Amino acid sequence: MSAKIVVGLDGSGAGSRAVSYAEKVARLIGNCEIILVYVIEWSPYSFQTAEENAQRHKRREEEIKTAMERVVSPAVDALKKDGVEASGEVRHGDVADLLNTIAVERGADQIIVARTSEGGIKRRIFGSSTANLVMHASVPVTVVG
Amino acid sequence: MKHAFFPAALILLAGAATSAAAQESRTIDEAVNEVFATVTGPFVSLIFAPLPGTAFPWIVMWLVVAASIFTIYFGFIQFRAFKHAIELVRGDYSDPNDAGEVSHFQALATALSGTVGLGNIAGVAVAVGIGGPGATFWMILAGLLGMASKFTECTLGVKYRNEYPDGSVSGGPMYYIFKGFAERGMPGGRFMAALFAVFCILGSLGGGNMFQANQAHAQISGIFGSYPGWITGLLFAALVFAVIVGGIKSIARVTEKVVPFMGILYVGAAVIILLVNFDRIGWAFGQIFDGAFTGAGVAGGMVGALIQGFKRAAFSNEAGVGSAAIAHSAVRAKEPITEGFVSLLEPFIDTVVICTMTALVITISGHLMVDPATGDYIVNGGSIQTVGDVSGVALTSAAFATGFGWFPYVLAVAVILFAFSTMISWSYYGLKAWTYLFGEGKTTELTFKILFCVFVVIGAAASLGPVIDFSDAAIFAMAVVNIAALYVLMPIVRAELASYRARLKSGEIRKFVSR
């Protein structure tokens, strides 16, 4: 039986700390797959101009491609090189929601994320996505400092 | 920093130029006005020609008859699919794997920001001012019927849009007329599509641009005092230019955020005024129903109320005009008909909800003067005498001021923002028609965008009469072509509807989210 760990990436130093901690845990477990997830913040209820709508499909593909090339693939490759089984995903939506959904979908045993770096007004109003994840997750969550 | 400075500098410059150019500008405004009225006169008369022997404009009949036919042909789709439409907007049927694409909600919101605006504020006041509260009844009826027209055109818009290799899309009546006619083996598709595109460009420059600029100027000069229209025109043109040519998203983004907020604030204020005057709501509805069938002593009687109601509803929700089909076609739906369902909410929100709110507030405010002796409205020169002799936006503003003294200021800001967002939406509709005719390409697009900005200045400088006439005429001319085509293409929509229904029933199409 193999274990699965979902790791939230955000392209920052904090994300990499989460990955290296996940790698350590994976080695301790032995037979363990790491699923790296990069979430592009997106809401189906935002307002856009007609022109933005017409370009949306194209932009989405570009966003996914960029995130894959710059953040996810290098991290997956690095893990594989170290001999850890790893895969990567890029999705649009709410970070806390999606990490939990993917963890449930893939039958992961835990989620590892870093403390978020977001701040200011947005955080005061909506709370940090890490805090939201911790409060609503269906699987254990580890927060890396 | 540079961007923020740019409009501010323009205001300063415009202010400095005001006094020096006041004398000269009066002649510029007058000259623009005169030429404009002469050029557009015959076109306007043709579109608004009355049916022989009546005072009823044939174009209004054209829209209402079409909406009624679609309502019957699709089996009262606006009522039967209403719940399903809301489920679609909520995202219950959206595949999570499509996250990041244009959602049904976004397509609806974008289309709404093109229609909710002056029609709901000024247009309703004009309708009630001339046709009396009874006009509201016909407006609601036209709104309900119009939902079926919207459903038809928006389904076709998504079905026959062009998808380019780079992933961007273009859609609208010109595409469904051209491709749909070819598919049905009908001749004349190419000609009608081109004709629609021509009218769409005119409508974009008229109702979608000049009318908006004109009303925005009226609002601004209402606050700061009278000054030449071309100054407002230049300011608006600069802002529009910055968004559509300069691609300065920050301005568009601010409007996108503020406009829905304004819409909510507007409806919220209306609801509060209605709640405060709770005891008069029954009376107001009485006035509306009574006036709808008797005309209650207003200009033109019942027919007058009916014409005003139908006309303003059509101008406000644009059902049958074809403009919304352009906005809705950007959605990435696997089933074109789902976008048709979603779009039928648009006339409902725009006309049945928002326009009715405005009409109720005006009626309840008591600004329409009643002759105490007869109980009829006092008619003066074709319209009802109002307290303070106001009409259009000013009437709505005065009516809302009875509830909230500060509301006229908010309304002025709302009108300016609505005008701006409508301009941005219509610049896109016009652009799509333009590129349909002249081909996609950077230079062709830029030509239209610059032309659009020039018309902002013309619209702000021209006096209201000729501008309103031309704006109405150009937009209704789009409906002439579009509806003729919808009659030809409606069996295609019916086939889509039958197929979708069957699959919904069999469970092939299912909810992703269950609530």
Side-chain angles (χ1 to χ4, degrees):
Chain A
M1 187 189 151
S2 76
K4 282 180 186 164
I5 300 175
V6 166
V7 180
L9 276 185
D10 61 358
S12 74
S16 331
R17 285 202 302 279
V19 177
S20 42
Y21 180 73
E23 188 179 348
K24 201 165 135 192
V25 174
R27 284 190 194 289
L28 289 173
I29 298 172
N31 187 8
C32 179
E33 185 195 348
I34 294 179
I35 303 160
L36 298 176
V37 179
Y38 184 96
V39 177
I40 300 167
E41 273 292 344
W42 174 84
S43 161
Y45 304 113
S46 64
F47 294 93
Q48 309 200 74
T49 61
E51 187 143 24
E52 283 174 317
N53 282 348
Q55 301 287 333
R56 189 58 217 153
H57 181 64
K58 187 177 155 190
R59 295 265 173 282
R60 177 180 183 264
E61 308 273 280
E62 285 167 4
E63 285 165 7
I64 294 176
K65 193 163 164 257
T66 312
M68 211 59 178
E69 278 173 2
R70 300 232 177 111
V71 184
V72 181
S73 294
V76 170
D77 291 347
L79 286 173
K80 281 186 177 162
K81 215 171 131 196
D82 293 352
V84 180
E85 198 187 330
S87 63
E89 270 191 49
V90 176
R91 296 261 205 114
H92 282 80
D94 177 74
V95 178
D97 256 9
L98 273 178
L99 287 178
N100 185 46
T101 311
I102 292 171
V104 173
E105 262 174 24
R106 305 280 290 261
D109 303 278
Q110 69 164 318
I111 300 171
I112 296 178
V113 288
R115 238 177 17 203
T116 39
S117 41
E118 59 195 284
I121 296 173
K122 196 184 163 199
R123 180 172 172 177
R124 282 175 200 281
I125 298 174
F126 300 109
S128 84
S129 32
T130 307
N132 287 344
L133 177 67
V134 169
M135 281 190 287
H136 301 290
S138 320
V139 296
V141 178
T142 304
V143 181
V144 180
Chain B
M1 194 58 223
K2 206 172 156 193
H3 300 156
F5 173 72
F6 178 56
L10 241 150
I11 295 172
L12 283 177
L13 274 176
T18 316
S19 50
Q23 200 59 38
E24 194 190 339
S25 70
R26 207 148 302 270
T27 51
I28 295 178
D29 281 10
E30 274 170 20
V32 168
N33 207 19
E34 206 168 288
V35 172
F36 189 78
T38 324
V39 172
T40 59
F43 174 64
V44 173
S45 328
L46 179 70
I47 293 291
F48 292 117
L51 289 171
T54 64
F56 206 103
W58 70 274
I59 186 72
V60 174
M61 192 58 106
W62 173 254
L63 284 163
V64 174
V65 167
S68 312
I69 289 175
F70 298 138
T71 300
I72 295 164
Y73 187 76
F74 294 111
F76 293 88
I77 190 76
Q78 58 268 65
F79 303 114
R80 290 202 296 159
F82 195 82
K83 183 168 163 269
H84 189 60
I86 290 172
E87 288 171 343
L88 284 166
V89 173
R90 276 202 316 216
D92 291 5
Y93 288 87
S94 308
D95 186 341
N97 290 325
D98 289 340
E101 300 283 4
V102 179
S103 65
H104 282 303
F105 177 89
Q106 285 168 332
L108 178 67
T110 305
L112 266 175
S113 79
T115 59
V116 173
L118 286 163
N120 306 71
I121 300 171
V124 175
V126 170
V128 175
I130 299 173
T136 315
F137 175 86
W138 301 110
M139 210 167 60
I140 295 173
L141 184 67
L144 289 173
L145 291 172
M147 291 164 79
S149 308
K150 254 309 165 161
F151 162 77
T152 318
E153 63 190 13
C154 290
T155 302
L156 290 167
V158 177
K159 188 171 165 69
Y160 292 105
R161 66 177 171 198
N162 268 9
E163 287 183 46
Y164 301 104
D166 71 353
S168 61
V169 292
S170 272
M174 47 282 178
Y175 293 97
Y176 62 66
I177 295 172
F178 181 65
K179 293 188 197 170
F181 273 50
E183 197 178 296
R184 299 216 66 199
M186 292 275 295
R190 184 182 291 272
F191 171 75
M192 278 179 67
L195 191 64
F196 176 86
V198 169
F199 288 143
C200 183
I201 292 168
L202 292 177
S204 148
L205 298 175
N209 179 344
M210 290 198 289
F211 175 70
Q212 310 294 334
N214 197 288
Q215 289 293 291
H217 172 66
Q219 281 298 310
I220 299 174
S221 56
I223 300 174
F224 297 113
S226 184
Y227 67 96
W230 59 266
I231 295 174
T232 312
L234 278 181
L235 182 65
F236 262 75
L239 287 173
V240 171
F241 186 88
V243 174
I244 66 175
V245 181
I248 300 179
K249 296 258 167 57
S250 54
I251 301 174
R253 219 168 277 146
V254 168
T255 353
E256 287 149 35
K257 299 263 160 14
V258 179
V259 163
F261 174 73
M262 282 291 171
I264 293 165
L265 186 70
Y266 184 77
V267 173
V271 168
I272 293 172
I273 292 174
L274 295 178
L275 285 178
V276 169
N277 296 288
F278 183 72
D279 51 324
R280 278 167 68 84
I281 294 179
W283 169 84
F285 271 108
Q287 288 286 303
I288 288 170
F289 283 107
D290 197 33
F293 299 102
T294 63
V298 300
M302 176 187 150
V303 178
L306 188 140
I307 292 174
Q308 282 304 322
F310 279 173
K311 192 171 157 184
R312 288 296 139 196
F315 193 47
S316 174
N317 66 39
E318 295 168 16
V321 169
S323 51
I326 302 175
H328 279 283
S329 56
V331 77
R332 199 144 194 99
K334 290 189 184 77
E335 303 287 336
I337 201 144
T338 54
E339 200 50 31
F341 290 137
V342 168
S343 71
L344 62 76
L345 295 174
E346 218 186 296
F348 185 82
I349 297 170
D350 179 276
T351 308
V352 180
V353 177
I354 303 182
C355 286
T356 308
M357 291 283 179
T358 307
L360 279 174
V361 170
I362 292 174
T363 308
I364 285 181
S365 74
H367 269 78
L368 302 174
M369 283 163 67
V370 177
D371 186 346
T374 58
D376 280 350
Y377 288 104
I378 304 171
V379 179
N380 193 355
S383 60
I384 298 174
Q385 183 80 45
T386 53
V387 176
D389 204 20
V390 287
S391 65
V393 180
L395 175 56
T396 311
S397 185
F400 272 83
T402 56
F404 304 101
W406 45 265
F407 201 79
Y409 300 103
V410 176
L411 193 69
V413 175
V415 165
I416 294 163
L417 285 170
F418 281 151
F420 187 70
S421 78
T422 306
M423 274 186 209
I424 300 294
S425 299
W426 273 92
S427 74
Y428 179 76
Y429 303 159
L431 180 67
K432 289 290 121 179
W434 184 268
T435 54
Y436 175 82
L437 287 178
F438 303 113
E440 314 250 347
K442 285 267 174 286
T443 323
T444 358
E445 291 187 10
L446 189 64
T447 313
F448 175 78
K449 287 172 174 174
I450 291 173
L451 188 71
F452 192 84
C453 292
V454 170
F455 271 82
V456 175
V457 184
I458 299 177
S463 78
L464 191 57
V467 174
I468 280 202
D469 290 346
F470 176 72
S471 306
D472 286 10
I475 285 182
F476 284 136
M478 289 166 69
V480 175
V481 183
N482 186 43
I483 285 175
L486 291 183
Y487 285 138
V488 174
L489 302 175
M490 65 186 188
I492 296 173
V493 181
R494 185 138 88 171
E496 289 272 335
L497 180 62
S499 145
Y500 182 82
R501 259 216 192 107
R503 281 176 295 147
L504 195 62
K505 209 173 167 190
S506 74
E508 193 186 325
I509 296 169
R510 59 185 176 83
K511 285 190 184 184
F512 286 94
V513 187
S514 51
R515 290 175 216 249

